[in-house]
Amino acid sequence: MVFDLDMIKQFYGSLPAKVEAARKLMGRPLTLTEKILYSHLSGSTPSAPYERGNSYVDFNPDRVAMQDATAQMALLQFMQAGRPKVAVPSTVHCDHLIMAKTGSSEDLAFAVKESEEVYNFLASVSNKYGIGFWKPGAGIIHQVVLENYAFPGGMMIGTDSHTVNAGGLGMVAIGVGGADACDVMAGLPWELKWPKLIGVKLTGKLSGWAAPKDVILKVAGILTVKGGTGAIVEYFGEGATSMSCTGKGTICNMGAEIGATTSTFGYDNSMERYLRATGRSEVADLANGIREHLTGDSEVYANPEKYFDQVIEINLDELEPYINGPFSPDLATPISKMKETAAANGWPMRVEVGLIGSCTNSSYEDISRAANLAQQAVDKKITPKAEFTITPGSELVRYTIDRDGFINTFEKIGAKVFSNACGPCIGMWARVGAEKQEKNTIIHSFNRNFKARQDSNPNTFAFVASPEITTALALAGDLGFNPLTDTLTNADGVQVKLDVPNGDELPTKGFAVEDAGYQAPAVDGSGVKINVNPDSDRLQLLDPFAAWNGADLNGLRLLIKAKGKCTTDHISPAGKWLKYRGHLDNISNNMLTGATNFFNEKSNSVKNGITGEYGEVPAVQRAYKAAGVGSLVVGDENYGEGSSREHAAMEPRFLGVRAVLVKSFARIHETNLKKQGMLALTFANPADYDKIREDDIIDIIGLTTFAPEKPLTMVLNHADGSSDTISVNHTYNENQIEWFKAGGALNIIRSQIA
């Protein structure tokens, strides 16, 4: 079936006029990004162009998507908004709560039983408010969105940072927190700072062992984990049009790892092929009718330096496979250099596990190329030296690869097929022996490899590569193995070389599935009852946060001064904590437990300023809350990078943290803090980070005249009686200041509807 066809028809019908109006406003040719942004403005075309990196702009996204871990909090907030039905097409996808342990069917059955209460809640809320519901086992949100909902030229938001995957089908798709999703579902505009533009020109064509994954691995090495912050990355050129639609999705997916707002590609033949293969020929026909408006103007791509803030050029003819890591997805090493680089850094050379799949690389093309290597291993009598796992991205893909014999091929080399879910990629992996915390190496085709992310072992060196390279290194069991040049010893003692893998972009017999896992909502959900047990440890109804009292914040204690990388995985770890994503009080017991305390170099150990004793971070913060003492969190660069999880903002807010002061923020986390009514501040002088002492009592001055672009003052009252006064910046506009004053954006929504 084709979802939301009338909405797409209506949008495409209005698009040419909107693009022409934007072109007239700008007085020049337009990038694809500009066409999509200007065609989704909330309101009419402005009188003057918006300023990149400065103007706050309201948009009307076409749809909202939520995964089950973040949907709980998003829907708990939406339930407070007083709306009878969502204002835009919205979906919930159950993909995060399935632990990868034994195998697909067993793991799914266990998850359905263990999380029955949560699944029933999500299903009933979806049914009541007109939200499409994708059951456990249906697949990973981003793969399901690409297969069913993404369309060229559209705009969507999703409560997961890898929503950006839909850029592979020509969308501007952006990861947000649940409060943003709540706004859009309630029919309100969605605010975004007008992004800067990074253009990536791809020349040549991929061949041999190189894959689309290697494009983004190389880009990550160039831009680093924060180089794309505040920008949309637009790919173009002959190399872009030569790639598959799902390959483009892989590249856009990992754009989250460079901090980009999103990434996108112009509509082309590969997107048309994919739309038709996934049963959406009507959408392809509509897109073909306005094709010129679904890509950047030719003048832009001919002279990109005139239209983009930064331009990167990559020759795909010369691109070799990359392996990125460990511990950061931007540490890029070409495969020809990995052996010497690993040896020089003392990285464990033995590969223990190879894992392919996830939302990043679970397309039919990805799986078919990996299956080709598995079949080569069988034919060449190569015994895999590492464990090997496959995580299909959707039931559509799983059913089709099973029909085409790929799963049987993988099983011949001893591979384990997990459920159609996120699994090991997000830490939902019951890895045997991980609790021993032994130093080891794994390689996967996922997107992130932060310390302890996959298996909770901080000594697991995780590397990111394409499915092809991951498979080859799993066969070799050696991080230094280069399949382009090296051989393996087979069961007969003969040296054999792997051939260049090949696979089909799309299944030659077409996709097939018996039950995709979709559940449509009731036409009229007014009679649907939603019950939350007050004694539940999985779900908890929300109470509004208190409004600002109108005074400066005085007498704040320092909760933690985080040292180095502090991602949302450090602020609100996943893994075992995923089960509490719908219970704010319970999940707050993981708050900042992964952050490193600057003063003692330990995790989850901070000084209680009242007692002078050290304790776990959540316990110390609860003591401050009980004593009526506010607190401050201090962080380093790119604070809050990684997942879009708003729990990393809601937990500090719930426990009484009043402000977060850092050298720089990751975009989504800064917005999440603002939405929850917290102060998100940055050092005017980053060197002032060093002035923060463990026993400081801190005052934040200037809130009574809080205004855009007006710095605040912070007084650091030290235990020895001395003090330092520093200036701190913020990026709040007038609307966001109102969020702070009201105690959170949701309080404003509620007041407007009441």
Side-chain angles (χ1 to χ4, degrees):
M1 68 182 288
V2 180
F3 293 95
D4 311 317
L5 186 58
D6 289 341
M7 178 268 284
I8 296 172
K9 285 181 178 178
Q10 183 177 0
F11 171 70
Y12 279 173
S14 66
L15 183 60
K18 290 180 177 178
V19 169
E20 185 53 40
R23 191 180 285 117
K24 183 177 180 180
L25 173 73
M26 302 291 286
R28 60 166 175 78
L30 300 177
T31 65
L32 168 64
T33 301
E34 290 168 329
K35 292 180 181 182
I36 297 176
L37 293 179
Y38 274 105
S39 65
H40 285 87
L41 295 177
S42 179
S44 58
T45 303
S47 58
Y50 291 114
E51 185 179 345
R52 293 179 188 176
N54 190 43
S55 301
Y56 281 95
V57 182
D58 286 340
F59 294 96
N60 289 328
D62 299 304
R63 67 174 311 103
V64 173
M66 298 164 280
Q67 41 93 335
D68 51 354
T70 52
Q72 296 172 62
M73 200 57 68
L75 294 178
L76 284 166
Q77 292 177 85
F78 180 76
M79 288 167 62
Q80 296 186 42
R83 301 283 186 175
K85 192 173 183 178
V86 291
V88 301
S90 304
T91 51
V92 167
H93 304 259
C94 297
D95 61 0
H96 269 57
L97 301 178
I98 303 172
M99 178 69 74
K101 183 178 181 180
T102 305
S104 179
S105 58
E106 300 94 332
D107 294 345
L108 178 59
F110 180 82
V112 168
K113 182 178 179 180
E114 181 188 46
S115 297
E116 180 180 16
E117 179 186 12
V118 172
Y119 291 144
N120 288 342
F121 168 76
L122 294 174
S124 62
V125 175
S126 297
N127 201 29
K128 182 176 181 65
Y129 293 109
I131 299 169
F133 182 72
W134 290 82
K135 296 180 287 188
I140 305 173
I141 177 173
H142 313 303
Q143 182 73 23
V144 174
V145 165
L146 197 72
E147 293 169 354
N148 295 277
Y149 299 110
F151 66 95
M155 171 185 274
M156 68 173 286
I157 62 171
T159 60
D160 189 286
S161 56
H162 292 104
T163 299
V164 295
N165 187 81
L169 242 176
M171 293 194 85
V172 162
I174 300 175
V176 300
D180 281 338
C182 180
D183 285 359
V184 175
M185 290 190 292
L188 301 177
W190 171 66
E191 184 184 72
L192 178 73
K193 183 181 287 188
W194 196 271
K196 295 182 179 180
L197 297 182
I198 298 175
V200 179
K201 181 179 182 179
L202 302 177
T203 62
K205 185 177 181 180
L206 292 169
S207 62
W209 283 85
K213 183 65 163 272
D214 298 306
V215 175
I216 185 58
L217 293 180
K218 182 176 179 66
V219 169
I222 295 170
L223 290 177
T224 76
V225 291
K226 65 176 184 177
T229 301
I232 290 180
V233 182
E234 185 172 322
Y235 291 84
F236 61 93
E238 60 178 348
T241 57
S242 69
M243 276 189 284
S244 67
C245 175
T246 52
K248 294 178 175 70
T250 292
I251 293 171
C252 292
N253 183 294
M254 271 198 71
E257 275 56 70
I258 58 173
T261 301
T262 192
S263 305
T264 194
F265 286 79
Y267 179 63
D268 61 16
N269 293 338
S270 72
M271 295 185 191
E272 179 183 355
R273 291 193 297 271
Y274 188 74
L275 285 169
R276 297 190 188 283
T278 51
R280 293 175 285 171
S281 290
E282 297 100 320
V283 178
D285 292 340
L286 290 170
N288 286 342
I290 54 167
R291 200 179 188 102
E292 71 272 21
H293 301 302
L294 300 176
T295 189
D297 290 335
S298 57
E299 300 94 331
V300 170
Y301 295 154
N303 298 284
E305 292 80 6
K306 292 174 59 178
Y307 303 96
F308 293 95
D309 298 289
Q310 180 181 357
V311 177
I312 297 169
E313 185 168 339
I314 298 174
N315 185 347
L316 301 186
D317 289 335
E318 300 173 354
L319 184 66
E320 68 172 300
Y322 272 75
I323 298 175
N324 286 25
F327 306 130
S328 191
D330 61 343
L331 185 56
T333 305
I335 196 166
S336 61
K337 303 292 185 183
M338 177 50 76
K339 186 173 184 178
E340 62 183 84
T341 301
N345 285 281
W347 299 335
M349 298 302 295
R350 179 185 173 187
V351 175
E352 304 282 351
V353 191
L355 309 97
I356 66 169
S358 85
C359 68
T360 321
N361 278 107
S362 56
S363 68
Y364 185 88
E365 181 180 39
D366 291 328
I367 301 298
S368 67
R369 284 171 65 89
N372 174 264
L373 288 169
Q375 187 60 53
Q376 287 188 48
V378 174
D379 296 341
K380 297 174 185 285
K381 299 182 180 180
I382 300 170
T383 302
K385 300 300 189 298
E387 294 180 43
F388 191 58
T389 73
I390 300 95
T391 306
S394 69
E395 177 60 12
L396 181 72
V397 167
R398 189 214 63 80
Y399 189 95
T400 304
I401 65 173
D402 190 18
R403 179 203 65 187
D404 292 349
F406 296 158
I407 290 181
N408 179 257
T409 299
F410 287 130
E411 289 175 342
K412 287 179 182 178
I413 63 168
K416 182 180 292 184
V417 180
F418 289 135
S419 295
N420 313 323
C422 299
C425 181
I426 61 163
M428 291 295 282
W429 181 23
R431 185 184 179 192
V432 176
E435 71 282 355
K436 299 177 183 178
Q437 298 199 353
E438 295 173 337
K439 189 175 180 180
N440 75 103
T441 283
I442 65 172
I443 187 166
H444 59 64
S445 67
F446 308 158
N447 41 48
R448 291 188 176 136
N449 58 344
F450 301 137
K451 184 174 290 189
R453 178 175 171 88
Q454 271 76 47
D455 62 1
S456 300
N457 178 4
N459 297 312
T460 292
F461 287 60
F463 294 85
V464 184
S466 68
E468 299 91 322
I469 294 300
T470 298
T471 305
L473 267 63
L475 294 173
D478 181 3
L479 185 61
F481 176 69
N482 183 353
L484 285 70
T485 58
D486 299 344
T487 59
L488 296 171
T489 304
N490 72 2
D492 297 331
V494 177
Q495 295 298 304
V496 295
K497 193 170 185 292
L498 293 170
D499 300 323
V500 172
N502 62 72
D504 294 321
E505 174 185 337
L506 296 164
T508 56
K509 300 177 184 177
F511 284 108
V513 69
E514 288 184 349
D515 179 8
Y518 176 70
Q519 179 176 300
V523 176
D524 179 5
S526 59
V528 177
K529 301 296 183 184
I530 302 169
N531 296 314
V532 174
N533 185 340
D535 296 324
S536 171
D537 71 344
R538 297 291 300 271
L539 296 167
Q540 180 187 50
L541 295 177
L542 297 175
D543 292 321
F545 290 132
W548 174 55
N549 66 2
D552 288 334
L553 299 180
N554 296 314
L556 303 181
R557 288 284 184 177
L558 175 69
L559 175 61
I560 187 172
K561 179 177 176 179
K563 179 180 180 180
K565 187 182 285 287
C566 192
T567 71
T568 50
D569 278 309
H570 296 90
I571 303 168
S572 177
K576 66 180 182 179
W577 292 99
L578 279 174
K579 66 189 297 183
Y580 299 121
R581 285 285 179 87
H583 197 293
L584 184 55
D585 194 5
N586 283 347
I587 199 171
S588 293
N589 288 322
N590 75 1
M591 187 190 71
L592 285 159
T593 53
T596 300
N597 182 359
F598 176 90
F599 297 105
N600 61 9
E601 301 283 341
K602 294 180 180 179
S603 297
N604 202 21
S605 175
V606 295
K607 189 175 183 179
N608 184 324
I610 299 174
T611 67
E613 299 176 350
Y614 283 84
E616 296 181 345
V617 181
V620 171
Q621 182 54 40
R622 287 184 185 274
Y624 289 156
K625 183 178 182 180
V629 175
S631 64
L632 173 79
V633 169
V634 174
D636 213 318
E637 297 281 3
N638 207 29
Y639 183 87
E641 85 175 81
S643 169
S644 68
R645 67 190 67 154
E646 66 180 333
H647 298 78
M650 294 188 77
E651 292 172 30
R653 179 72 166 104
F654 175 73
L655 292 182
V657 176
R658 304 304 303 272
V660 178
L661 171 66
V662 301
K663 293 180 181 178
S664 65
F665 281 106
R667 175 190 63 86
I668 299 177
H669 187 63
E670 181 180 23
T671 300
N672 285 345
L673 289 169
K674 292 178 179 180
K675 282 278 184 175
Q676 299 305 329
M678 290 190 65
L679 285 176
L681 308 172
T682 56
F683 290 99
N685 178 5
D688 287 342
Y689 172 90
D690 297 325
K691 294 179 180 178
I692 307 289
R693 301 182 191 177
E694 191 171 30
D695 295 310
D696 283 349
I697 295 178
I698 300 156
D699 303 325
I700 300 177
I701 310 298
L703 292 175
T704 55
T705 56
F706 196 9
E709 300 183 12
K710 182 179 179 181
L712 297 172
T713 298
M714 187 172 288
V715 181
L716 310 175
N717 299 293
H718 306 309
D720 62 6
S722 65
S723 66
D724 282 298
T725 299
I726 64 174
S727 179
V728 294
N729 295 332
H730 64 85
T731 60
Y732 287 75
N733 59 27
E734 293 286 359
N735 285 339
Q736 294 167 349
I737 290 173
E738 292 306 310
W739 299 346
F740 168 74
K741 291 179 178 179
L746 186 58
N747 289 347
I748 293 179
I749 296 175
R750 190 185 300 104
S751 67
Q752 292 172 341
I753 296 170

